[in-house]
Structures are given as structure tokens and as C-alpha cells.
Amino acid sequence: MAISGSDTPTPPSKVTAPIEIHCIKCESCGFTEECTPAYIIRVRERYQGRWICGLCIEAVKDEVLRSDTLISTEEALDRHIRFCKKFRASSHSDETEHPISALGRILSRSLDSARALTSNSSSVLPGFEGVKGPSLFRSESCFSALSS
């Protein structure tokens, strides 16, 4: 028995409206992000009407955690904004380096130094000359045996 196309119900098509996106500049570091209006509102509610990017949000959280005394999110945000302003003011060139660009440069340097360490892994690291650990040997397969 054949089923004709008219016998099967067709699911209703969902027409989705395009998501509204805004470009907004971080009030701390100056980085520009594309965000939805709802996200922008949530961030501004949490950070005293200021909009800050995701990296600065993480920096503010870290500032709260590493502070010796209990500080508010507002105080941590003020400290972070002061840090970013000092960072920009301390730039020696005419073109101020963006904090995120500087972070990327620092990260690539640290990755390069990690690669140099691993490339010299055959050499002995200082302070570890006499340390000998047990060698790891594979005794069995990681997969369970299949029985017939």
C-alpha cells in the first residue's frame, strides 16, 4: 500500500526572527564585542550600569577572590578599570597597545618558552638530576576482550 504525500502531516515550519546583535565597547579595556541586547542588560545590571567584556568580567571576579580583604564587585571593578587606565597610560609608543593584544603576546611568549622546555626534554632539568621514577609499561589492552 502506497502512502501519498497528502496523507502525511507536514510539520509546521518555524520562522525564526533574526537575532538582534549590537557592537558594544568595554568601559574597562576598550575591547568591542557583539552581543544581544538581553546580554548587555544583564551585564549592566551586575556591574553598576557599566558594560564590560567577558575578559574583564573574569578579571573582576579574580580581583574579588585574590583580595586580602572582603571587597564588593563594584570595588573590584573600580580597581580593574584603574589598572587598565594605568596600563594604557604607561605605553611608550604613540599607538597604545590594546590590553587584549598584550595578553595574547604574553601568552604566545609563555607557549614558546614551554615548547623550548619540551624540545630539550632529553636534557636534565636543574634540581632533578637524581630523581628517577618508575617506567610505565603497558601490561594489557585498554579495551575489554570480546568473547565469541
Side-chain angles (χ1 to χ4, degrees), residues 101-116:
S101 300
L103 183 62
R105 194 170 33 81
I106 292 167
L107 179 61
S108 68
R109 281 184 189 168
S110 66
L111 290 174
D112 287 343
S113 63
R115 281 188 206 114

Side-chain angles (χ1 to χ4, degrees), residues 86-117:
K86 284 180 187 176
F87 179 84
R88 285 197 205 113
S90 69
S91 178
H92 299 292
S93 66
D94 294 333
E95 184 73 28
T96 302
E97 184 174 17
H98 195 281
I100 294 174
S101 300
L103 183 62
R105 194 170 33 81
I106 292 167
L107 179 61
S108 68
R109 281 184 189 168
S110 66
L111 290 174
D112 287 343
S113 63
R115 281 188 206 114
L117 270 179

Side-chain angles (χ1 to χ4, degrees), residues 2-64:
I3 299 176
S4 69
S6 61
D7 292 344
T8 58
T10 56
S13 62
K14 292 184 179 179
V15 178
T16 57
I19 297 175
E20 185 179 356
I21 300 292
H22 293 267
C23 286
I24 188 160
K25 188 175 182 178
C26 178
E27 294 181 31
S28 179
C29 71
F31 183 65
T32 301
E33 282 187 339
E34 294 180 343
C35 305
T36 63
Y39 179 71
I40 294 168
I41 289 169
R42 280 197 320 268
V43 169
R44 283 190 168 147
E45 286 172 353
R46 290 182 188 152
Y47 296 98
Q48 295 75 39
R50 300 174 183 163
W51 192 87
I52 58 174
C53 68
L55 290 173
C56 289
I57 287 172
E58 291 304 314
V60 168
K61 288 178 188 176
D62 186 58
E63 186 71 36
V64 170

Side-chain angles (χ1 to χ4, degrees), residues 95-143:
E95 184 73 28
T96 302
E97 184 174 17
H98 195 281
I100 294 174
S101 300
L103 183 62
R105 194 170 33 81
I106 292 167
L107 179 61
S108 68
R109 281 184 189 168
S110 66
L111 290 174
D112 287 343
S113 63
R115 281 188 206 114
L117 270 179
T118 57
S119 67
N120 293 335
S121 62
S122 60
S123 64
V124 178
L125 292 174
F128 292 98
E129 294 88 8
V131 178
K132 293 282 185 185
S135 298
L136 296 177
F137 292 104
R138 185 172 154 183
S139 59
E140 300 181 14
S141 171
C142 297
F143 301 103

